[in-house]
Amino acid sequence: MERFCYINEKQDEAYRQYKDGVAFQKDIESVFDEIDYKIKLPDFLGKTVKVTQKQFPELYELVEELSEILQITAPTVYVYEDYYYGAESYGISYYWIELSAKTIQDFSKEELRFLMARELYKIADGVTKQKTMMDERFKMIRMVAPDELEKMSRLSFYHWYRLSNYSADNFGYLMCGSMKSSVQTILKLVLNSVMLAEQVDVKEFIGQASEINRQDNMVSNYTKADEAIPYAPHRIQSLLAYAISDRGMQTRIRQGKVE
């Protein structure tokens, strides 16, 4: 599947605007690969369960399948014990995904497919690398530069990263083939509960996006700009808009998956 089929239309321009201010990249990549990653590895192997053909085989096959579609090497997936739902990809040269056991337990196959497709897209498109690198860069800036510089750099990065998450949602939707499952996944991540997510009226929940947009003042606008992940009502609103767009519908038709 071609990248233009699901990428947010504003994402690449936002990336061009933020990347000009990126510094220390090579140093950060080298330190992370040679030190930070090696420090983390024993904990992964000792405190989580690694997904293999014999351990969580259905999840293993899912990751292999989606990685082949994206034409990337399948990352390692580590399952950890936690009360909260969650899946997050990390890495610069070596990639992995951390997935909570509660997520595997409570998510349907379609919901888990949406969630894993999102993270694998981020690895394939370089989003995970930039996120990992920028997190390390923010730590460095805080030690050597004024707070204002760190804030400016963070806001510029977050603008692009929010847009990349819309792209991730689009790709997840295309891979799971169900708008209902995609929306339910987002709601479960918000509420951390299957039962509560089922009680949400999606139309009313999306209406909260308009209320957020109406909060148009300096404090509110800074708060909104300082969010790395788009607000959930905006995510669902954007995903529905993509699904009914010519681009989204044509992509689904080419897949032979029209709901």
Side-chain angles (χ1 to χ4, degrees):
M1 183 186 301
E2 296 295 332
R3 181 176 180 269
F4 71 83
C5 292
Y6 53 83
I7 204 75
N8 184 278
E9 295 170 346
K10 298 179 181 178
Q11 179 179 329
D12 288 344
E13 177 58 31
Y15 178 74
R16 285 190 287 271
Q17 292 175 8
Y18 114 82
K19 74 172 184 178
D20 294 336
V22 174
F24 317 122
Q25 181 161 338
K26 291 298 181 183
D27 292 336
I28 291 171
E29 290 182 10
S30 178
V31 170
F32 188 88
D33 287 341
E34 294 301 320
I35 299 176
D36 293 351
Y37 175 72
K38 292 178 180 179
I39 290 173
K40 295 175 186 293
L41 194 54
D43 279 351
F44 290 149
L45 297 174
K47 299 179 181 180
T48 72
V49 177
K50 183 178 178 181
V51 174
T52 68
Q53 288 177 302
K54 294 183 178 180
Q55 300 182 144
F56 306 105
E58 290 186 4
L59 180 59
Y60 177 85
E61 291 174 6
L62 172 62
V63 172
E64 290 287 325
E65 177 198 344
L66 294 173
S67 297
E68 184 175 349
I69 290 171
L70 287 162
Q71 298 183 327
I72 61 172
T73 300
T76 304
V77 179
Y78 297 103
V79 178
Y80 62 94
E81 190 279 327
D82 201 333
Y83 171 76
Y84 297 99
Y85 298 143
E88 189 69 41
S89 54
Y90 301 91
I92 291 179
S93 297
Y94 314 101
Y95 298 102
W96 71 93
I97 296 174
E98 298 178 21
L99 178 66
S100 78
K102 184 176 173 65
T103 305
I104 298 176
Q105 178 179 307
D106 289 359
F107 281 41
S108 70
K109 290 183 178 180
E110 291 77 15
E111 291 164 351
L112 195 58
R113 188 177 181 89
F114 172 83
L115 196 61
M116 298 306 290
R118 292 187 79 259
E119 297 309 313
L120 289 164
Y121 151 73
K122 290 196 285 186
I123 291 173
D125 205 35
V127 177
T128 296
K129 176 179 180 178
Q130 291 298 324
K131 176 65 164 59
T132 304
M133 189 273 294
M134 290 301 289
D135 284 343
E136 297 300 312
R137 180 171 176 261
F138 294 151
K139 297 176 187 176
M140 183 179 295
I141 291 176
R142 281 194 290 270
M143 291 189 291
V144 302
D147 289 345
E148 289 75 13
L149 179 59
E150 191 269 338
K151 288 178 182 177
M152 289 175 58
S153 177
R154 188 177 69 242
L155 294 180
S156 177
F157 170 75
Y158 281 176
H159 174 58
W160 168 71
Y161 191 67
R162 286 193 299 273
L163 295 173
S164 73
N165 272 274
Y166 291 132
S167 300
D169 285 340
N170 293 345
F171 183 74
Y173 160 66
L174 292 174
M175 290 299 100
C176 83
S178 168
M179 178 57 67
K180 180 179 179 180
S181 296
S182 302
V183 170
Q184 281 298 114
T185 303
I186 296 171
L187 292 175
K188 285 182 180 179
L189 292 171
V190 171
L191 296 170
N192 203 56
S193 168
V194 173
M195 182 183 69
L196 295 180
E198 290 174 349
Q199 296 183 43
V200 175
D201 183 277
V202 175
K203 184 176 180 180
E204 284 201 24
F205 186 68
I206 293 174
Q208 293 177 200
S210 298
E211 294 185 47
I212 296 170
N213 296 339
R214 286 197 293 270
Q215 305 303 309
D216 188 13
N217 55 71
M218 184 176 68
V219 175
S220 296
N221 289 335
Y222 177 81
T223 300
K224 289 185 279 187
D226 199 33
E227 289 290 327
I229 306 295
Y231 292 121
H234 285 141
R235 287 179 63 184
I236 296 176
Q237 185 181 57
S238 174
L239 187 54
L240 288 170
Y242 169 75
I244 63 174
S245 69
D246 288 342
R247 181 168 60 125
M249 293 182 69
Q250 288 300 318
T251 301
R252 294 279 288 154
I253 289 171
R254 287 195 294 273
Q255 286 182 299
K257 298 179 179 178
V258 180
E259 291 180 286

